[in-house]
């Protein structure tokens, strides 16, 4: 079998339109599976949502006192998606809510509304807390999700039909749609008409609060200070009116700085800075012409101000509102580079949802105590006066006395303090609920876990609806019964919890992904009653802000054991800074006092509710160890370590060697396999003898980085293309983690750009700086000792057609020229008995540039697991999986790993790219997709527990 054709001018390609249908039932024979895994699941079309009687007995359906005494689960319907640009965030929120409220006392159904306002049931109720179609909620992007809906979900004829279904099949709806239709009163009005109880604020109040201009007018009416602003509406923009407003607020018509933003587009969508009347008018027109909104607000830029945000929860009884504001968060914005200007640094959509060092959060804020009290009191008043329910997030600004609001304000209005001015600007009626969102950051700081705060919000919402009192009582009874049963079982067993340390972070370019992976693993393992899980940050001994020339040996690392609330950050730098800050006596005293104040407000109010189970997060301080001290501590604790450190010492065998020497069990492959797979050349050599088993490797030219930087790049380029017999080259570090420093080079100029980045120790190459279009490329810092050059492998491109106007389903279009595709596949099991999960392929949409949400909300493109039979035959699939297993066993892999390769869709032959011994474990990673594709589906918490159990198996 010849190698796939290398990059070169290709002849005209024959497009083959393929049916959308995924694989027919696959029931292949397979080797013994590891704990928790069975044969690959079937891809089937969803049936109509199951009737309630599949879950509840007839007596329980009566909802009477007998049901309350007996106890029964509450039926919750999560509604996500929506038409706004925030639907990717909505999917992440829904996934997080599902993960954290699941339990035997809840029956959770999931529903999705697409951008065309079509409703789908993606999880018909089943006997367990999750359903057979909930796996689709773990799709990594909205495009991925939308594509799979067409075959794996039950659609409703209309939104009215959808609402009628909810009225029959759920006790309460939990909308997690952000932006339009979720926070503007749309979904609420639909539910109100169908008499479906729901979490959150009623439709009328949502309409007023969501519209930023209406909310500003109402705040002014209610006696709050507001930011001076002007409303611009479609086809009504008059330059003279705008000039007059600039003059009124004492801004220069030519250079006066303002914020221009849609009035009704949700969180930070379309927010831009403008200078002067003409620029402001142009940017307002752009927002309108792009269809973001037909109403735009132009408001004064608050020079010298600091943004804050705070979660407020209602703890009152029935409809007697008693809002309590949690610890607010200060949003510190920083320029991303020397090219940025401080004036243009705003808390926009990208900074809010993308891990970035441009934003640092401080909970509580570094404001004077009087200012924090003013913020909390003001938000509580605002919550009541605007008629909000259950919970919300309020954003605002603190403007110090040295700055001044550019208009005369009534000194008696709320917001004036001796230290400066407090202004409230944005009301978020459905706060983001991603794993590290403000809701969970602030709730964990005052004693709530993810699960406890979500359940508290749901139970409070139930208490507001008289018709749900029996349901809520029954749910409470069942919850108590289950809790008593767990406690009795624990006493009977008489065993202590198994200690688990989850370590993440590090100092490679993959450290932010590692933080997301480790956080996800930690949160999933926390759900097991027999485990005591501690999150740990691996960091450079001198922190993240010292020179890149520092010592990167293992002894130069330190490890912090982290309290619950400090994990919930967006970057490793932020976690580290929070650890340092938590060690400062003055800061500790302030935080402790404010925490006690908030908990003293929450505790007595919540204790009046029969359903409140108490706070479940105790305050702890972070503890710093050297790496060796930490390993000694782990050993003394009799713990197991879950390694989630990507690249560097997490994958090169260093941590594995230290743990093995100490006799500490850990997840993933051992030192030798880790060291081999980290070195891409060594990996190729280790499997070079497997050609007869369908495993091949890519030709390589390894060169010292110093040599490449020293000699003529033209000569090096000519030598590469001659030796490798290719026209374009793939370059990558010889000894680094997944994707770091991997680039396609098409000419000597590309090689020059790449080597200049290495020489200058750039952390990343900006998008599209090479000949062929590409995204941002993370670069290895410090530069690697050697580089690998390979032929760039041309693969068959698979794209997704756009949905036709006649409603026809989208379909796959495959340029089937050379029969090779890139796949990624997880392997799980004991050493010598590794089991291959179904491989995944990723495709892109036809003619579209990936949107912001698709790039940063969990991945890119559309994932197909396993490849459809119209692309890859059943026989080729099984041969591919056998080759992957042979390769994994030959490399000595154990526990779990991920293998990236090219596969021949006709023969199943595999061409190895690389092996990742600590693969990504973020909420929507491909490994989660593949585990969910097993039969029965292996959900994330069970998947990670399986990997932990395998760590113990290696010690037996």
């Amino acid at each position: 079998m010849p190698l796939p054709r290398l990059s070169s001018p290709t002849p005209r390609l024959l497009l083959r339109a393929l049916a959308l249908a995924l694989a027919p039932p696959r029931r292949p024979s397979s080797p013994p599976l590891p704990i928790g895994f069975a044969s690959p699941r079937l891809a089937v079309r969803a049936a109509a949502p199951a009737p309630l009687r599949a879950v509840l007995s007839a007596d329980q359906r009566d909802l009477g006192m007998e049901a309350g005494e007996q106890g029964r689960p509450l039926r919750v319907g999560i509604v996500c998606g929506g038409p706004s640009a925030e639907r990717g965030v909505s999917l992440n929120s829904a996934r997080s809510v599902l993960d954290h409220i699941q339990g035997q006392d809840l029956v959770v159904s999931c529903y999705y509304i697409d951008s065309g306002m079509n409703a789908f049931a993606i999880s018909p109720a089943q006997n367990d807390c999750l359903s057979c179609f909930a796996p689709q909620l773990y799709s990594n992007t909205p495009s991925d999700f939308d594509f799979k809906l067409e075959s794996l979900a039950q659609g409703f004829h209309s939104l009215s039909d959808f609402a009628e279904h909810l009225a029959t099949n759920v006790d309460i709806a939990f909308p997690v749609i952000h932006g339009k239709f979720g926070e503007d009163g749309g979904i609420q009005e639909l539910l109100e008409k169908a008499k479906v109880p729901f979490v959150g604020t009623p439709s009328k109040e949502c309409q007023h609060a969501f519209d930023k201009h209406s909310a500003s007018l109402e705040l002014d009416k209610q006696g709050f200070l507001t930011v001076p602003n002007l409303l611009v509406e479609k086809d009504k923009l008059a330059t003279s009116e705008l000039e007059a407003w600039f003059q009124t607020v004492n801004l220069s018509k030519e250079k006066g700085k303002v914020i221009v933003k849609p009035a009704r587009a949700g969180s930070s969508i379309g927010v831009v800075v403008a200078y002067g009347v003409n620029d402001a008018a142009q940017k307002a027109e752009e927002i309108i012409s792009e269809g973001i909104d037909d109403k735009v607000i132009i408001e004064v830029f608050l020079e010298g101000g600091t943004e804050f945000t705070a979660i407020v929860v209602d703890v009152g009884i029935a409809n007697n509102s008693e809002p309590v504001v949690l610890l607010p968060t200060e949003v510190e914005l920083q320029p991303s580079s020397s090219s940025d200007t401080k004036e243009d640094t705003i808390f926009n959509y990208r900074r809010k949802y993308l891990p970035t060092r441009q934003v640092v959060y401080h909970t509580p804020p570094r404001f004077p105590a009087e200012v924090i009290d003013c913020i909390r009191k003001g938000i509580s008043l605002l919550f009541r006066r605007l008629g909000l329910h259950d919970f919300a997030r309020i954003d605002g600004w603190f403007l110090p006395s040295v700055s001044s609001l550019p208009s005369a304000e009534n000194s008696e209005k709320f917001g004036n303090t001796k230290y400066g001015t407090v202004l409230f600007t944005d009301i978020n009626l459905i706060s983001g609920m991603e794993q590290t969102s403000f809701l969970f950051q602030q709730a964990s700081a005052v004693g709530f876990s993810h699960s406890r705060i979500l359940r508290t919000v749901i139970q409070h919402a139930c208490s507001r609806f008289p018709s749900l009192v029996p349901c809520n009582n029954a749910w409470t009874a069942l919850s108590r019964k289950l809790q008593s049963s767990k406690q009795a079982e624990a006493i009977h067993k008489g065993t202590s919890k198994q200690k688990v340390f989850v370590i993440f972070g590090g100092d490679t370019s993959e450290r932010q992904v590692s933080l997301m992976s480790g956080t996800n693993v930690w949160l999933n393992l926390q759900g097991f009653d027999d485990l005591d899980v501690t999150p740990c940050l691996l960091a450079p001994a001198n922190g993240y802000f010292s020179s890149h020339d520092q010592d990167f040996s293992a002894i130069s690392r330190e490890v912090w054991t982290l309290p619950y609330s400090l994990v919930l950050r967006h970057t490793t730098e932020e976690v580290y800074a929070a650890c340092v800050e938590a060690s400062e006596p003055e800061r500790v005293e302030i935080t402790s006092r404010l925490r006690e104040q908030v908990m003293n407000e929450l505790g007595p109010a919540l204790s009046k509710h029969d359903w409140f189970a108490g706070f479940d997060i105790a305050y702890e301080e972070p503890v710093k160890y050297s790496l060796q001290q930490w390993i000694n501590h782990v050993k003394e604790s009799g713990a197991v370590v879950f390694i989630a450190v990507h690249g560097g010492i997490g994958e090169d065998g260093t941590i594995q060697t230290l743990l093995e020497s100490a006799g500490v069990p850990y997840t993933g492959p051992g030192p030798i396999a880790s060291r081999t797979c980290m070195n891409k050349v060594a990996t190729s050599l280790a499997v070079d003898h497997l050609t007869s088993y369908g495993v091949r490797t890519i030709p390589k030219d390894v060169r010292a980085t110093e040599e490449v930087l020293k000699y003529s790049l033209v000569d090096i380029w000519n030598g590469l293309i001659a030796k490798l017999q290719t026209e374009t080259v793939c370059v990558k570090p010889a000894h680094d983690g997944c994707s770091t420093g991997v680039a396609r080079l098409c000419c000597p100029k590309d090689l020059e750009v790449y080597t200049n980045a290495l020489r200058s120790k750039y952390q990343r190459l900006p998008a599209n700086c090479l000949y062929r279009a590409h995204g941002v490329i993370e670069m290895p810092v410090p530069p690697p000792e050697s580089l690998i050059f390979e032929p760039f492998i041309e693969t068959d491109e698979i794209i997704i057609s756009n949905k036709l106007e006649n409603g026809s389903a989208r379909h796959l279009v495959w340029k089937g020229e050379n029969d090779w595709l890139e796949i990624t596949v997880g392997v799980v099991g004991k050493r010598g008995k590794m089991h291959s999960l179904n491989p995944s392929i990723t495709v892109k949409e036809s003619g579209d540039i990936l949107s912001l949400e698709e790039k940063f909300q969990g991945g890119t493109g559309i994932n197909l697991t396993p490849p459809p039979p119209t692309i890859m035959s059943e026989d080729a699939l099984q041969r591919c999986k056998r080759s992957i297993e042979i390769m994994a066993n030959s490399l000595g892999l154990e526990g779990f790993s991920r293998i990236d390769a090219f596969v021949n869709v006709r023969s199943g032959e595999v061409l190895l790219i690389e092996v990742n011994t600590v693969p990504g474990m973020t909420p929507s990673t491909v490994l989660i997709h593949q585990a969910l594709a097993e039969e029965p589906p292996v959900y994330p918490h069970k998947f990670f527990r399986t990997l932990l159990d395998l760590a113990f198996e290696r010690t037996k």
Side-chain angles (χ1 to χ4, degrees):
M1 175 66 63
L3 287 174
R5 195 150 62 86
L6 308 181
S7 61
S8 61
T10 58
R12 184 176 179 179
L13 300 178
L14 175 63
L15 295 182
R16 288 182 284 173
L18 302 175
L20 171 66
L22 298 180
R26 302 181 186 270
R27 296 192 179 276
S29 59
S30 60
L33 308 183
I35 301 169
F37 287 85
S39 59
R41 68 174 298 204
L42 310 182
V44 296
R45 184 173 295 276
L52 178 60
R53 60 177 174 273
V55 180
L56 306 177
S57 68
D59 290 339
Q60 288 173 321
R61 291 198 302 274
D62 289 338
L63 302 181
M65 284 306 296
E66 290 184 5
E69 294 168 1
Q70 179 182 2
R72 77 154 177 90
L74 186 77
R75 300 170 298 158
V76 178
I78 299 173
V79 186
C80 63
S84 87
E86 295 182 90
R87 60 200 176 104
V89 181
S90 174
L91 284 177
N92 288 349
S93 290
R95 182 165 52 228
S96 178
V97 172
L98 177 66
D99 282 345
H100 295 297
I101 68 171
Q102 59 179 302
Q104 291 176 296
D105 58 339
L106 281 177
V107 176
V108 185
S109 299
C110 299
Y111 303 91
Y112 178 74
I113 296 176
D114 68 11
S115 57
M117 298 298 288
N118 303 298
F120 296 86
I122 56 177
S123 60
Q126 298 291 321
N127 285 329
D128 59 4
C129 60
L130 297 174
S131 79
C132 60
F133 294 108
Q136 297 312 314
L137 197 59
Y138 293 87
S139 294
N140 58 345
T141 68
S143 294
D144 191 1
F145 197 88
D146 290 344
F147 179 67
K148 291 171 182 174
L149 278 177
E150 297 172 7
S151 63
L152 292 177
Q154 173 68 33
F156 294 95
H157 293 297
S158 66
L159 288 178
S160 296
D161 288 343
F162 165 57
E164 290 176 10
H165 164 84
L166 291 179
T168 305
N169 289 276
V170 305
D171 296 319
I172 189 166
F174 193 158
V176 291
I177 299 175
H178 306 306
K180 291 183 179 179
F181 195 67
E183 298 180 82
D184 63 1
I187 184 67
Q188 292 81 6
E189 185 176 8
L190 180 72
L191 297 172
E192 287 165 352
K193 288 181 178 179
K195 298 186 177 354
V196 178
F198 59 90
V199 175
T201 298
S203 61
K204 183 178 179 181
E205 286 76 7
C206 282
Q207 291 170 12
H208 291 306
F210 180 71
D211 186 312
K212 294 179 176 64
H213 184 253
S214 296
S216 178
L217 294 177
E218 184 62 26
L219 286 173
D220 182 68
K221 179 181 176 181
Q222 293 289 344
F224 291 88
L225 289 170
T226 58
V227 183
N229 64 73
L230 176 71
L231 176 66
V232 174
E233 297 185 77
K234 184 178 181 180
D235 300 327
K236 295 182 180 179
L237 176 59
T239 303
S240 58
E241 181 184 358
L242 189 54
E243 289 179 349
W245 179 79
F246 264 70
Q247 184 174 357
T248 300
V249 295
N250 299 318
L251 290 178
S252 164
K253 295 179 183 179
E254 291 74 28
K255 297 182 179 180
K257 189 175 179 183
V258 294
I259 293 288
V260 183
K261 59 186 178 182
R264 302 164 301 179
S267 177
S268 306
I269 297 292
V271 180
V272 292
V273 175
Y275 296 87
V277 171
N278 293 335
D279 190 28
Q282 179 182 342
K283 288 177 176 174
E285 289 285 7
E286 288 173 356
I287 290 173
I288 294 171
S289 63
E290 290 172 8
I292 298 175
D293 197 2
D294 56 11
K295 293 174 65 178
V296 175
I297 287 181
I298 300 175
E299 64 181 25
V300 171
F301 188 96
L302 299 177
E303 293 284 3
T306 301
E307 194 165 359
F308 63 81
T309 187
I311 297 293
V312 54
V313 294
D314 192 353
V315 295
I317 294 178
N319 284 301
N320 295 319
S321 179
E322 189 175 343
V324 174
V325 181
L326 307 185
L327 291 182
T329 298
E330 172 193 350
V331 180
E332 181 186 4
L333 300 177
Q334 300 174 335
S336 61
S337 68
S338 58
S339 62
D340 289 328
T341 61
K342 182 178 180 180
E343 291 75 24
D344 290 339
T345 303
I346 59 174
F347 195 40
N348 56 18
Y349 184 91
R350 181 180 294 270
R351 291 187 175 97
K352 187 168 290 186
Y353 295 113
L354 169 64
T356 172
R357 293 182 64 177
Q358 296 176 48
V359 182
V360 178
Y361 302 113
H362 303 276
T363 305
R366 299 167 301 173
F367 302 157
E370 180 184 330
V371 173
I372 296 176
D373 289 341
C374 178
I375 290 171
R376 296 188 66 243
K377 180 180 178 182
I379 290 176
S380 180
L381 287 171
L382 187 154
F383 190 93
R384 281 196 183 96
R385 293 179 182 179
L386 295 185
L388 309 187
H389 285 176
D390 299 327
F391 79 121
R393 194 188 85 231
I394 312 297
D395 302 337
W397 288 79
F398 169 55
L399 202 61
S401 298
V402 293
S403 305
S404 60
L405 206 60
S407 63
E409 296 289 342
N410 190 330
S411 60
E412 295 183 359
K413 283 196 171 184
F414 187 92
N416 286 307
T417 75
K418 68 178 181 180
Y419 297 101
T421 305
V422 171
L423 304 104
F424 302 109
T425 56
D426 293 280
I427 302 165
N428 301 276
L429 299 156
I430 301 178
S431 178
M433 286 166 270
E434 298 174 287
Q435 286 185 341
T436 57
S437 66
F438 290 121
L439 172 64
F440 301 127
Q441 285 184 31
Q442 296 180 19
S444 64
V446 292
F448 291 102
S449 66
H450 286 63
S451 175
R452 187 59 51 86
I453 188 62
L454 289 171
R455 283 169 169 255
T456 296
V457 169
I458 293 171
Q459 284 172 306
H460 181 270
C462 288
S463 72
R464 292 189 294 103
F465 295 91
S467 63
L468 285 185
V469 171
C471 294
N472 209 17
N473 291 340
W475 177 27
T476 301
L478 178 59
S479 298
R480 287 176 175 171
K481 182 187 294 185
L482 292 170
Q483 187 61 34
S484 297
S485 176
K486 288 181 180 179
Q487 292 173 349
E489 183 180 358
I491 293 173
H492 175 72
K493 288 183 177 180
T495 56
S496 59
K497 292 186 176 184
Q498 172 61 53
K499 189 73 176 175
V500 180
F501 288 87
V502 180
I503 187 168
F504 48 82
D507 46 39
T508 74
S509 61
E510 299 177 82
R511 62 187 181 274
Q512 313 306 355
V513 178
S514 174
L515 173 59
M516 291 187 284
S517 291
T519 301
N520 190 42
V521 171
W522 163 64
L523 287 172
N524 274 279
L525 291 180
Q526 279 215 130
F528 291 94
D529 294 328
D530 61 334
L531 299 180
D532 180 7
V533 190
T534 300
C536 305
L537 175 72
L538 175 69
N542 297 321
Y544 285 101
F545 309 102
S546 53
S547 169
H548 290 302
D549 294 324
Q550 64 179 296
D551 177 18
F552 280 98
S553 63
I555 60 172
S556 69
R557 268 70 171 200
E558 62 189 30
V559 180
W560 292 78
T561 57
L562 305 171
Y564 195 112
S565 62
L566 292 196
V567 186
L568 307 179
R569 300 294 192 272
H570 293 87
T571 66
T572 55
E573 289 82 0
E574 191 183 343
V575 176
Y576 181 85
C579 289
V580 174
E581 188 176 82
S583 304
E584 298 171 356
E586 183 179 354
R587 184 68 175 164
V588 170
E589 189 278 327
I590 293 172
T591 302
S592 178
R593 175 174 53 80
L594 289 171
R595 180 188 300 108
E596 184 177 358
Q597 177 184 338
V598 174
M599 294 182 73
N600 285 341
E601 295 174 19
L602 289 167
L606 287 170
S607 65
K608 298 176 184 178
H609 298 279
D610 292 339
W611 43 258
F612 183 58
F615 301 106
D616 58 345
I617 298 297
Y619 173 71
E620 297 175 341
E621 292 185 3
V623 179
K624 182 174 71 171
Y625 301 86
S626 69
L627 180 56
Q628 187 59 57
Q629 287 173 338
W630 176 78
I631 289 175
N632 295 339
H633 173 59
V634 171
K635 182 178 181 179
E636 292 169 2
S637 302
V640 60
V641 173
F642 199 117
I643 301 174
V645 179
H646 303 314
I649 68 171
E651 286 193 79
D652 68 4
T654 301
I655 287 181
Q656 291 81 359
T657 297
L658 292 170
L659 291 171
E660 202 155 285
S661 298
V664 175
Y666 57 90
T667 56
I672 296 176
S674 297
R675 193 177 306 117
T676 299
C677 294
M678 186 68 162
N679 187 316
K680 298 175 177 66
V681 175
T683 308
S684 293
L685 292 174
V687 300
D688 198 43
H689 64 289
L690 299 178
T691 304
S692 61
Y693 295 96
V695 177
R696 304 186 71 172
T697 59
I698 304 172
K700 293 176 172 56
D701 186 335
V702 184
R703 303 199 178 204
T705 303
E706 184 179 355
E707 171 195 338
V708 176
L709 297 178
K710 181 178 180 181
Y711 294 108
S712 166
L713 296 181
V714 173
D715 291 343
I716 292 175
W717 179 260
N718 291 335
L720 288 172
I721 61 175
K723 179 178 179 179
L724 299 175
Q725 293 295 295
T726 184
E727 294 188 5
T728 62
V729 172
C730 180
V731 61
K732 62 184 72 171
H735 197 83
D736 212 323
C738 172
S739 302
T740 299
V742 180
R744 180 181 185 177
L745 308 180
C746 299
C747 57
K749 180 65 176 177
D750 282 353
L751 182 59
E752 180 183 355
V753 172
Y754 189 89
T755 54
N756 283 340
L758 292 176
R759 183 180 291 108
S760 302
K761 298 182 180 179
Y762 291 156
Q763 295 186 35
R764 59 191 58 84
L765 279 176
N768 302 322
C769 66
L770 302 175
Y771 180 79
R772 292 289 293 264
H774 62 87
V776 174
I777 299 173
E778 297 291 336
M779 296 296 288
V781 177
E785 292 183 2
S786 56
L787 297 169
I788 293 176
F789 295 92
E790 300 173 341
F792 184 86
I793 305 298
E794 293 282 3
T795 58
D796 287 340
E797 184 179 50
I798 303 174
I799 58 177
I800 304 295
S801 70
N802 291 320
K803 198 164 187 175
L804 301 179
E805 292 183 2
N806 62 11
S808 298
R810 297 183 299 172
H811 59 274
L812 300 177
V813 179
W814 177 29
K815 296 181 178 180
E817 184 192 37
N818 56 32
D819 294 338
W820 288 85
L821 292 175
E822 186 172 349
I823 61 168
T824 186
V825 55
V827 289
V828 182
K830 298 181 181 179
R831 185 173 181 179
K833 298 179 181 179
M834 296 298 283
H835 164 67
S836 171
L837 304 179
N838 277 307
S840 302
I841 59 175
T842 300
V843 298
K844 67 180 183 179
E845 291 190 275
S846 175
D848 291 336
I849 297 174
L850 291 173
S851 67
L852 184 68
E853 61 183 357
E854 287 175 326
K855 286 182 179 180
F856 301 119
Q857 298 305 319
T860 59
I862 294 171
N863 176 284
L864 297 180
T865 306
T870 45
I871 290 179
M872 189 175 188
S873 69
E874 174 69 21
D875 185 57
L877 176 66
Q878 296 309 314
R879 282 201 295 267
C880 167
K881 293 173 68 175
R882 284 194 292 271
S883 295
I884 291 291
E885 289 169 350
I886 290 170
M887 189 191 315
N889 292 330
S890 182
L891 288 167
L893 301 182
E894 56 186 310
F896 73 116
S897 294
R898 193 190 81 222
I899 296 175
D900 297 337
F902 299 103
V903 64
N904 188 289
V905 296
R906 305 299 178 198
S907 68
E909 186 179 29
V910 172
L911 185 62
L912 175 64
I913 299 174
E914 64 182 9
V915 180
N916 299 283
T917 54
V918 184
M921 291 168 277
T922 60
S924 57
T925 184
V926 69
L927 285 183
I928 299 299
H929 291 220
Q930 294 174 6
L932 289 166
E934 296 290 297
E935 177 59 42
V938 181
Y939 283 86
H941 65 288
K942 179 60 178 174
F943 178 68
F944 294 128
R945 181 57 189 261
T946 297
L947 303 183
L948 199 64
D949 292 340
L950 286 168
F952 283 110
E953 289 292 322
R954 75 193 304 158
T955 63
K956 297 180 179 178

